[in-house]
Amino acid sequence: MLQRMYSLPAAVALLAASSAWADDMYLKVRAIGNHIECTCGCSSTIATCNMVGCHVRVPINEEIEAGIEAGRSQEDILAAVYEKYGEEMRVEPRREGFGIVGWAMPFVSLLAGLAVIPFVVRRWRRNARAQAAAEPVPARVVDRYSEEIERQLKEME
Amino acid sequence: MENLGYLAVLLGFLVSVYAVVAALAGRLRNNAFLEVSAQRAVLSAWLLVTAASGILLYAILTDDFRLSYVASRSNADLDLIYKFAAWWGGQEGSLLFWSWIAATYTFVAVHTGRKRHRNMISYVTAIMAGTQAFFLGLVAFAANPFAVIMSGPQITAMPDGNGLNPLLQHPMMAIHPPMLYLGYVGFTVPFAFAMASLITRQPGERWIHTTRIWTMVTWLFQGIGILLGARWAYVVLGWGGYWGWDPVENASLLPWITGTAFLHSVMMQEKKGMMKIWNIVLISATFFLCIFGTMMTRGGLVSSVHAFAESEIGIYFVWYLLLAIGITTYLILSRLDYLQSEAELDSVVSRESSFLFNNVILLASCFAVLWGTLFPVISEYVSGDKITVGAPFFNKVNVPIGLFLLFLTGVGPLFAWRRTSTESLRRNFQWPALASAALGAALFAAGIRHFYALVCFTLCAFVAITIAVEFYRGARVIQAGRGLAFVPAVLDLTHRNTRRYGGYLVHMAIVLMFIGFAGAAFNLVQQQELAVGDSLAVGNYEFTLTGVTEADNANYYSAVARVDVAKNGDFLQTMLPERRFYHASEQPTSRVDVRYRLREDVYVVYAGQSNDGKNPIVQVYINPLVNWIWIGAFLLVFGTLVALVPNKVRRSPVRARAAGAAAPKEESVAATNV
């Protein structure tokens, strides 16, 4: 039993160590593949396409792996893929030209919305003040409220 | 039989058009006969669409492959449940299904509201029947499910059908589309009442009281539909995820977000008479986004994995949307005086302000999703670049917005209406802020460095604590007053103000889901070809292939891999991922096997065969915390159902008694400082 306790973790550790390089490469390829649209018809990225022997994913993965082994950066590898296979392989807008509008618009809309809030709040407060000045609450209504509050407080006691 | 089905659709369309004309004419001419006639036409239309649907279902169930729709969406050996699902599995059938749900909603809304809303029910009838007529028109003239296969002058039948898309042959798919459709179509009801209220300039917020339950139920259906879709993607698509930011997924999310904003801002109108224009705009936008979502699914505007049934009908949706948006805009602009806000705000630090923030963030989130979804079309139009906007873009944009929203979920309920004092702020925020900061520090010390995940866990703790404190404080008051034990006091508290505490449960559900979303930051994945006896290591787990079992039946060929799973050397269980090949459609699919645990899911996929066809390729995902999403989904349903339960205590409110006015029947006692 004791032997089993020690031998199995050791085997797992050995296995894990031997496959560490492959794991690392697989994950790196997958990370880059997440930025490339697979155009085989699966509507996934190169990383998530699970078509067996996919004619799009397999060669691109090989190119990514070659790029990583050659020590090229993720940006360089992606640029080469987009250049070779076309802009439709992108899964996010470029950070230049009209692509900047694509990135900026959601945040611009959020900031615009947040910027409007102070104006709305100011208007509401102005209306509240104007209303308070125009229509003071009659004393009898205030008295009724006060009496009701007193009565309920006594009930609670 | 098919002629009868088509006749029923055609008559349903004509009767719906009649309902629109009769309702409007009856109202404008003050002719009660026409108004009642329109209401009866609604019933007739429902009966006709039900008959048409029944005939189509009969054709599917009896394998009538003379019908083009049946031949392309079903096959003889398809399981009964999936034959039923074939009704909405394709373009024509799903439009008929949509029409049937629309007819059902119209019938129920009109016949339950005709006495209470005499002044505006005819407009409600016209708007709902008009929407129904649009869809029935599509079924009758553009997407006929009763079309037969012709060979020359002869009607011919195929020996067998092509079968339902294999991806749809999953129990989840028998529920997911109907739920989504119930959501999409259901938002027609509050929209119709809102428009009718505008047209007739109904005093007060009656339309909101009337449609609140409709909106919540519809919102619930939409939410269930979205979550079932996510769950289906998780267990069927085999890529280890549950949300791919696919255009059609996004389209279902959009009206749900605006519906969520509406359910919050509507409280401002009910309690304070504020945001009247905004609420009309929100419910209208929700309805338009529902139509837009249908257009995305059926019209082929952008490419999508969900586009099971694209066609050229998108242009009809565009015209319908333009017409509806035009009329709605005119109605709002021409009735701005009626929509004047009874606005008053004592302090910037108040519940009112928090609702404003909440709505802005929700709308920004909605816009970000819509923008990303449409950006490929816009980009191609403007710059000629045809790109796909995928998960990386949506995650980068929506994660920070989502975290801000999570923060507001915790902060908002802690503010009082009108004004929140500094003392109240300190009292409400102190302990939740300190405790969540301590948790964040502990997680950081434990080695978690992923920024968004760390922020998310901290905020989740903050929101969860604020909600727990709200229940605790309320229950303590009940305990003191009625001498109940703590749990009965919590139940009593919830029953006294179901909407408020049901809402808190929904907030807690959102917290649980965010915990699950954050877990994705720590996913592990590995794929490998395995011969029998080979092993694959992922994290602390080891996966060993012990065999492959093959089987064949009339519907599909199946190969099941037996994979022994061990963690830290200890055997856990044998998992059975499956690969199927459907004969009729000649398509392969994967059936994943998942070991569900609160801490992490072990997700094993039979991804395919090796190039020589001898060995399976096994893909393994370790997905931490993903189960919290499904638990959150159950809580979301439960919380919404709680919010739909009527309050326990009803009595004349203090305000009415004090002011000497008649007490509104519906008003309930707010147990605490709502």
Side-chain angles (χ1 to χ4, degrees):
Chain A
M1 181 66 187
L2 198 63
Q3 190 182 10
R4 180 174 169 267
M5 279 175 64
Y6 284 107
S7 63
L8 272 176
V12 171
L14 192 65
L15 193 70
S18 64
S19 62
W21 183 86
D23 287 3
D24 193 38
M25 176 57 80
Y26 177 80
L27 294 175
K28 281 179 183 170
V29 170
R30 194 178 161 84
I32 296 175
N34 261 323
H35 295 273
I36 304 168
E37 177 78 2
C38 185
T39 51
C40 74
C42 64
S43 295
S44 305
T45 64
I46 291 293
T48 52
C49 166
N50 56 7
M51 296 280 184
V52 174
C54 171
H55 67 284
V56 179
R57 189 196 70 220
V58 173
I60 291 181
N61 271 345
E62 285 169 3
E63 287 171 37
I64 295 171
E65 196 168 325
I68 293 169
E69 283 174 351
R72 293 160 65 198
S73 69
Q74 174 171 322
E75 287 70 29
D76 287 346
I77 294 169
L78 285 173
V81 170
Y82 297 146
E83 192 179 342
K84 182 174 177 183
Y85 295 93
E87 287 295 308
E88 65 265 31
M89 307 297 280
R90 288 184 181 274
V91 293
E92 53 187 31
R94 280 186 294 186
R95 291 169 195 210
E96 60 185 45
F98 188 66
I100 293 175
V101 179
W103 282 105
M105 276 300 278
F107 296 106
V108 169
S109 70
L110 173 63
L111 292 175
L114 292 174
V116 165
I117 290 179
F119 292 102
V120 175
V121 168
R122 197 177 302 158
R123 191 174 158 201
W124 283 349
R125 295 190 72 188
R126 198 168 55 225
N127 286 354
R129 283 196 292 270
Q131 203 171 352
E135 298 170 15
V137 180
R140 59 184 176 78
V141 175
V142 175
D143 290 345
R144 279 185 189 158
Y145 270 106
S146 303
E147 285 166 17
E148 186 64 29
I149 291 167
E150 285 300 321
R151 190 186 64 74
Q152 290 219 348
L153 284 173
K154 277 179 188 163
E155 275 181 15
M156 286 172 74
E157 284 163 6
Chain B
M1 193 62 113
E2 63 274 8
N3 290 335
L4 270 180
Y6 185 70
L7 185 66
V9 170
L10 205 57
L11 285 175
F13 167 71
L14 292 173
V15 169
S16 299
V17 172
Y18 171 77
V20 177
V21 175
L24 290 178
R27 186 71 197 122
L28 294 173
R29 293 183 170 199
N30 211 11
N31 183 332
F33 171 78
L34 277 178
E35 288 188 272
V36 172
S37 168
Q39 289 164 17
R40 291 185 181 165
V42 163
L43 172 61
S44 306
W46 180 79
L47 288 171
L48 286 163
V49 182
T50 302
S53 303
I55 290 169
L56 181 65
L57 261 179
Y58 178 77
I60 296 171
L61 295 175
T62 56
D63 300 326
D64 187 352
F65 297 125
R66 295 176 309 118
L67 267 64
S68 172
Y69 183 79
V70 179
S72 61
R73 303 292 167 192
S74 180
N75 64 298
D77 294 309
L78 195 65
D79 289 345
L80 183 67
I81 182 175
Y82 301 127
K83 282 191 176 178
F84 201 80
W87 179 11
W88 51 80
Q91 171 89 293
E92 298 84 356
S94 69
L95 285 173
L96 180 61
F97 183 56
W98 180 291
S99 305
W100 180 72
I101 294 177
T104 307
Y105 268 125
T106 307
F107 170 63
V108 174
V110 168
H111 285 266
T112 54
R114 63 186 168 171
K115 287 183 182 158
R116 194 173 170 208
H117 302 284
R118 281 183 201 281
N119 290 337
M120 60 177 179
I121 199 66
S122 289
Y123 291 111
V124 172
T125 306
I127 293 164
M128 295 196 69
T131 308
Q132 181 183 313
F134 169 71
F135 280 95
L136 281 169
L138 287 178
V139 177
F141 305 115
N144 176 17
F146 297 103
V148 290
I149 300 169
M150 300 289 287
S151 174
Q154 295 291 315
I155 296 173
T156 57
M158 286 171 66
D160 198 359
N162 293 331
L164 187 66
N165 186 326
L167 293 174
L168 301 181
Q169 294 186 42
H170 189 278
M172 214 76 74
M173 264 301 121
I175 320 169
H176 159 69
M179 285 292 153
L180 267 188
Y181 283 20
L182 282 167
Y184 272 140
V185 188
F187 279 117
T188 314
V189 183
F191 171 74
F193 273 97
M195 289 301 108
S197 168
L198 261 187
I199 295 167
T200 55
R201 296 172 187 266
Q202 292 288 313
E205 280 70 53
R206 209 167 169 196
W207 72 273
I208 282 181
H209 291 298
T210 304
T211 60
R212 193 177 66 211
I213 291 176
W214 278 106
T215 310
M216 284 178 69
V217 170
T218 303
W219 180 88
L220 178 62
F221 281 137
Q222 186 85 4
I224 293 173
I226 292 169
L227 288 162
L228 281 173
R231 175 79 178 176
W232 167 79
Y234 188 65
V235 299
V236 171
L237 294 184
W239 58 282
Y242 40 82
W243 193 262
W245 295 107
D246 178 85
V248 171
E249 289 175 352
N250 296 347
S252 68
L253 190 62
L254 295 171
W256 191 80
I257 296 175
T258 50
T260 308
F262 175 75
L263 283 173
H264 285 86
S265 70
V266 86
M267 282 186 261
M268 290 275 279
Q269 188 166 345
E270 282 180 283
K271 292 184 188 303
K272 308 277 297 203
M274 299 162 86
M275 298 175 82
K276 291 179 180 176
I277 300 174
W278 184 242
N279 283 324
I280 289 276
V281 170
L282 269 184
I283 200 63
S284 306
T286 304
F287 171 71
F288 298 143
L289 286 169
C290 288
I291 301 294
F292 175 78
T294 315
M295 183 174 80
M296 294 277 283
T297 322
R298 301 298 169 210
L301 179 66
V302 288
S303 63
S304 160
V305 70
H306 288 74
F308 298 119
E310 288 178 7
S311 78
E312 300 302 319
I313 62 172
I315 190 67
Y316 300 114
F317 282 95
V318 172
W319 284 112
Y320 179 79
L321 265 179
L322 287 175
L323 181 71
I325 291 172
I327 294 171
T328 304
T329 308
Y330 166 76
L331 281 174
I332 292 174
L333 291 177
S334 64
R335 280 151 173 83
L336 283 177
D337 56 330
Y338 153 72
L339 295 170
Q340 280 299 311
S341 176
E342 300 153 25
E344 54 177 277
L345 190 69
D346 292 346
S347 169
V348 179
V349 187
S350 60
R351 181 76 67 89
E352 288 89 332
S353 294
S354 80
F355 275 117
L356 268 183
F357 274 100
N358 155 297
N359 266 241
V360 166
I361 305 298
L362 280 168
L363 267 282
S365 167
C366 180
F367 177 77
V369 176
L370 181 64
W371 176 253
T373 308
L374 291 180
F375 191 73
V377 181
I378 298 168
S379 171
E380 190 175 6
Y381 182 75
V382 174
S383 64
D385 286 346
K386 188 178 181 181
I387 64 160
T388 306
V389 176
F393 172 84
F394 287 105
N395 288 336
K396 279 174 193 158
V397 169
N398 281 296
V399 167
I401 296 176
L403 289 176
F404 194 7
L405 195 60
L406 181 63
F407 172 69
L408 282 180
T409 308
V411 168
L414 298 184
F415 288 128
W417 289 99
R418 298 184 75 96
R419 181 190 296 274
T420 306
S421 68
T422 316
E423 171 56 25
S424 163
L425 275 179
R426 191 191 61 75
R427 190 177 62 241
N428 288 334
F429 281 95
Q430 190 178 34
W431 290 112
L434 284 174
S436 55
L439 178 83
L443 290 173
F444 186 81
I448 292 181
R449 294 290 185 273
H450 191 286
F451 175 73
Y452 282 141
L454 200 56
V455 172
C456 186
F457 289 137
T458 307
L459 287 176
C460 284
F462 174 73
V463 181
I465 294 167
T466 59
I467 294 169
V469 167
E470 282 288 291
F471 273 98
Y472 176 76
R473 283 188 183 150
R476 293 288 292 173
V477 171
I478 301 274
Q479 273 189 296
R482 298 190 53 203
L484 292 171
F486 184 72
V487 172
V490 169
L491 295 176
D492 192 58
L493 173 78
T494 307
H495 205 172
R496 281 167 183 246
N497 195 341
T498 52
R499 196 171 164 199
R500 180 183 184 188
Y501 290 96
Y504 283 155
L505 290 174
V506 173
H507 283 187
M508 186 61 97
I510 300 297
V511 167
L512 297 182
M513 288 186 199
F514 267 77
I515 291 172
F517 299 152
F522 309 100
N523 283 0
L524 295 173
V525 59
Q526 189 60 271
Q527 178 181 296
Q528 194 171 305
E529 175 189 332
L530 296 177
V532 174
D534 283 355
S535 292
L536 164 68
V538 185
N540 297 328
Y541 292 90
E542 186 191 19
F543 301 85
T544 306
L545 183 73
T546 59
V548 177
T549 309
E550 296 178 72
D552 201 2
N553 64 35
N555 196 16
Y556 56 82
Y557 156 81
S558 150
V560 179
R562 287 195 309 281
V563 180
D564 283 355
V565 185
K567 187 177 185 184
N568 296 322
D570 295 327
F571 173 79
L572 295 179
Q573 72 175 79
T574 299
M575 297 183 74
L576 304 167
E578 182 183 0
R579 188 81 176 165
R580 285 184 184 176
F581 183 84
Y582 285 82
H583 299 306
S585 59
E586 298 188 338
Q587 288 187 55
T589 62
S590 291
R591 296 255 154 170
V592 302
D593 196 1
V594 187
R595 177 184 159 86
Y596 298 102
R597 291 295 181 274
L598 273 182
R599 183 187 165 92
E600 61 199 6
D601 280 5
V602 176
Y603 183 102
V604 184
V605 190
Y606 191 137
Q609 292 294 122
S610 57
N611 287 337
D612 59 9
K614 288 180 180 171
N615 298 322
I617 296 171
V618 176
Q619 193 160 25
V620 173
Y621 297 81
I622 308 298
N623 295 333
L625 304 175
V626 74
N627 246 343
W628 291 71
I629 297 172
W630 318 127
I631 296 170
F634 281 110
L635 187 58
L636 182 134
V637 174
F638 178 68
T640 312
L641 292 176
V642 167
L644 283 167
V645 171
N647 286 344
K648 178 183 178 183
V649 183
R650 287 167 188 265
R651 65 181 168 91
S652 300
V654 173
R655 185 177 65 178
R657 208 184 302 172
K665 285 179 186 173
E666 295 282 334
E667 197 150 354
S668 61
V669 171
T672 47
N673 63 335
V674 181

